[in-house]
Amino acid sequence: MISREELRQLAQLESPKGCAVSFYFQPQTPQDRSHREEAIMVKDLVREALRRAERNGNDPALREDLQKVLATAEQLHGNHSRGKVVFACREHGIWRELDVLPRLGRTQVIVNSRFHLKPLVAAEQNVPSALIALVDRKKARVFELRDGNLSQKPDLEFGPLLKVGKSDGYQGYDAGHRERHIENETRFHFRQFVEGMMILLNREKLDVLLIGCRDETWPDVQQQLDTAAKQKLAGRFVADVGKTTPEEVREYAEHILDRNRLIDQQTVLREAIGQASRNSTGAVGLRHVLTALERQEVQTLLISRDFQADVVECTNCRHLDTRLVKNCAVCGQSTRELAEVADTLVDLALRNGADIEFFENDRDLEKAGRIAALLRFRADQNTAEKVAV
């Protein structure tokens, strides 16, 4: 896992010599046990990058970084549970290795003036860590889901309910008392459960709580959830404490977390489109989003995962323009066409401290030009007249 501040620092780095190396290893299902096909592919990618480096000046520091990347890649064969990312730039003393979720798209090596951050941001977007508890009146089985890894914690044992007499007493006088006693014990057990989960959440610094139980148990559990627990609760699913397997726990959890992420994405997208329609703190379409990014107005960038467009960048001031002009409209210097505009947009958003949401085949975003933004403010509306109003 990489922090937002670390991503921002990587996005700000620029190598005048073009020696920033980004290596992404996306594990695949091997054709044979030796993983030879995968090994050959990785070596070929790194060697091709070395050949390009030789043609472009054969910088010794760049060659050392690529050789080190190759050595790292040769140790990855057979590890198919995690992806690997390496950022290297000896010019700035950077060597950063990351083990990440295997959602990187493809294995690739990129050498450029900036690090290639889009695949990493897309792979790690909105992946909350979760505490998952299966509970009944006797015990709770507890799991932790973090960075795609599911681990089981020690069970929380409640112990048997205190014994009470079986007789209802004279004319049934004791029946109600016994029932109330059992109800009180049950509430105490579930109160212990909720308190224990909140302690674990805070101690392990986990983001959300998921609870699995039978339908008849849920009202008793729900009654004991205080305000803090309700805020952490991301969902509930039907499960049997004794029969549900860890793989089923993972499937339930990932389904709930993915559903919640889509709901959150749609909420932000609707707000951005609505604000843009009111000429307020929203922007849709590449030209308007570019302007907002350069003015550092963007709070959240919303972009299709496979977004592409024709954009030029000024070689001097880095101004971006959707018009394919030869000279920059700001400083008059020459421009160059960008091959991967989405990478540049992601870097710019990271440098400005904005959040980034990637979308898959979303109709509303498609209608908006496949890119939108929710803004912190509008610089063009921040005038004395506006403030006075």
Side-chain angles (χ1 to χ4, degrees):
M1 195 72 176
I2 186 169
S3 69
R4 288 184 60 181
E5 179 57 26
E6 287 177 301
L7 276 172
R8 189 183 67 82
Q9 290 174 359
L10 289 173
Q12 289 178 331
L13 182 141
E14 184 171 4
S15 167
K17 297 181 180 180
C19 295
V21 180
S22 305
F23 169 64
Y24 287 92
F25 172 74
Q26 170 62 36
Q28 305 289 341
T29 303
Q31 299 296 319
D32 55 58
R33 293 184 179 180
S34 67
H35 306 272
R36 289 183 60 192
E37 183 177 320
E38 188 175 73
I40 292 170
M41 178 188 67
V42 173
K43 289 180 181 179
D44 286 346
L45 287 171
V46 176
R47 286 168 180 165
E48 177 58 29
L50 281 166
R51 284 193 289 269
R52 288 196 300 268
E54 290 174 358
R55 290 196 298 268
N56 295 332
N58 197 22
D59 185 274
L62 176 57
R63 285 190 59 82
E64 287 183 33
D65 279 339
L66 287 171
Q67 293 286 3
K68 191 174 179 181
V69 167
L70 181 58
T72 301
E74 288 175 341
Q75 300 173 9
L76 297 174
H77 314 315
N79 178 15
H80 290 272
S81 62
R82 307 290 287 173
K84 171 70 83 172
V85 180
V86 175
F87 297 116
C89 184
R90 199 171 295 265
E91 182 181 355
H92 290 278
I94 300 290
W95 177 270
R96 185 76 164 88
E97 290 187 44
L98 298 165
D99 292 317
V100 300
L101 294 172
R103 301 175 180 176
L104 300 171
R106 60 191 176 93
T107 299
Q108 53 184 322
V109 179
I110 305 99
V111 180
N112 211 324
S113 59
R114 292 187 180 276
F115 290 128
H116 184 64
L117 300 175
K118 179 190 167 188
L120 176 61
V121 176
E124 295 208 332
Q125 74 160 9
N126 295 328
V127 184
S129 57
L131 185 68
I132 310 160
L134 311 183
V135 62
D136 61 17
R137 294 190 178 195
K138 293 183 179 180
K139 71 173 185 177
R141 290 172 63 201
V142 185
F143 300 83
E144 178 183 310
L145 182 63
R146 191 194 297 269
D147 296 338
N149 294 320
L150 184 73
S151 58
Q152 187 163 359
K153 301 286 188 180
D155 293 347
L156 177 62
E157 301 281 353
F158 298 138
L161 295 175
L162 295 178
K163 291 183 178 180
V164 294
K166 295 182 179 180
S167 171
D168 289 344
Y170 178 69
Q171 294 184 347
Y173 177 80
D174 290 337
H177 176 74
R178 186 174 70 252
E179 290 175 2
R180 286 192 298 273
H181 179 80
I182 293 174
E183 289 174 0
N184 288 338
E185 286 294 312
T186 301
R187 282 197 294 270
F188 176 71
H189 284 180
F190 289 133
R191 192 178 307 121
Q192 277 187 312
F193 162 72
V194 172
E195 290 173 355
M197 295 307 98
M198 293 305 294
I199 290 172
L200 267 177
L201 275 166
N202 294 326
R203 188 182 71 196
E204 302 296 330
K205 294 181 171 58
L206 298 167
D207 299 317
V208 297
L209 171 65
L210 301 172
I211 296 177
C213 63
R214 293 177 178 270
D215 285 332
E216 60 267 26
T217 304
W218 176 239
D220 292 328
V221 176
Q222 191 176 27
Q223 191 177 26
Q224 301 307 316
L225 298 174
D226 57 17
T227 301
K230 289 177 180 176
Q231 290 175 344
K232 285 288 188 178
L233 183 65
R236 175 248 167 176
F237 56 94
V238 179
D240 186 289
V241 171
K243 297 179 180 179
T244 305
T245 66
E247 190 54 41
E248 289 173 331
V249 170
R250 177 193 291 276
E251 290 176 3
Y252 286 131
E254 290 180 345
H255 174 75
I256 292 172
L257 295 176
D258 287 344
R259 180 197 64 196
N260 290 352
R261 181 180 63 82
L262 289 174
I263 292 172
D264 292 342
Q265 278 192 328
Q266 288 301 312
T267 300
V268 176
L269 178 58
R270 284 196 299 270
E271 184 178 359
I273 293 174
Q275 293 287 354
S277 68
R278 294 188 290 273
N279 194 31
S280 186
T281 53
V284 297
L286 179 58
R287 184 169 63 85
H288 295 294
V289 172
L290 271 180
T291 300
L293 281 169
E294 292 193 324
R295 291 175 175 174
Q296 300 185 20
E297 299 171 342
V298 175
Q299 176 177 312
T300 306
L301 174 66
L302 315 172
I303 185 170
S304 293
R305 191 177 292 269
D306 57 351
F307 179 82
Q308 292 181 341
D310 294 325
V311 172
V312 295
E313 179 186 50
C314 176
T315 56
N316 177 50
C317 70
R318 304 299 188 192
H319 171 66
L320 300 172
D321 202 325
T322 56
R323 300 168 299 171
L324 302 183
V325 294
K326 293 183 178 180
N327 297 101
C328 176
V330 175
C331 69
Q333 297 298 311
S334 62
T335 63
R336 63 185 175 193
E337 190 170 348
L338 295 177
E340 296 286 347
V341 65
D343 294 330
T344 303
L345 297 175
V346 168
D347 285 351
L348 188 53
L350 289 172
R351 293 200 296 274
N352 294 343
D355 295 327
I356 303 168
E357 291 286 346
F358 290 94
F359 288 72
E360 295 276 5
N361 303 319
D362 187 276
R363 285 186 183 179
D364 292 333
L365 189 59
E366 292 283 338
K367 293 177 182 177
R370 309 181 73 222
I371 186 168
L374 185 64
L375 310 182
R376 301 186 184 100
F377 60 92
R378 281 278 298 276
D380 62 342
Q381 296 182 358
N382 189 23
T383 64
E385 292 80 4
K386 290 279 185 180
V387 173
V389 172

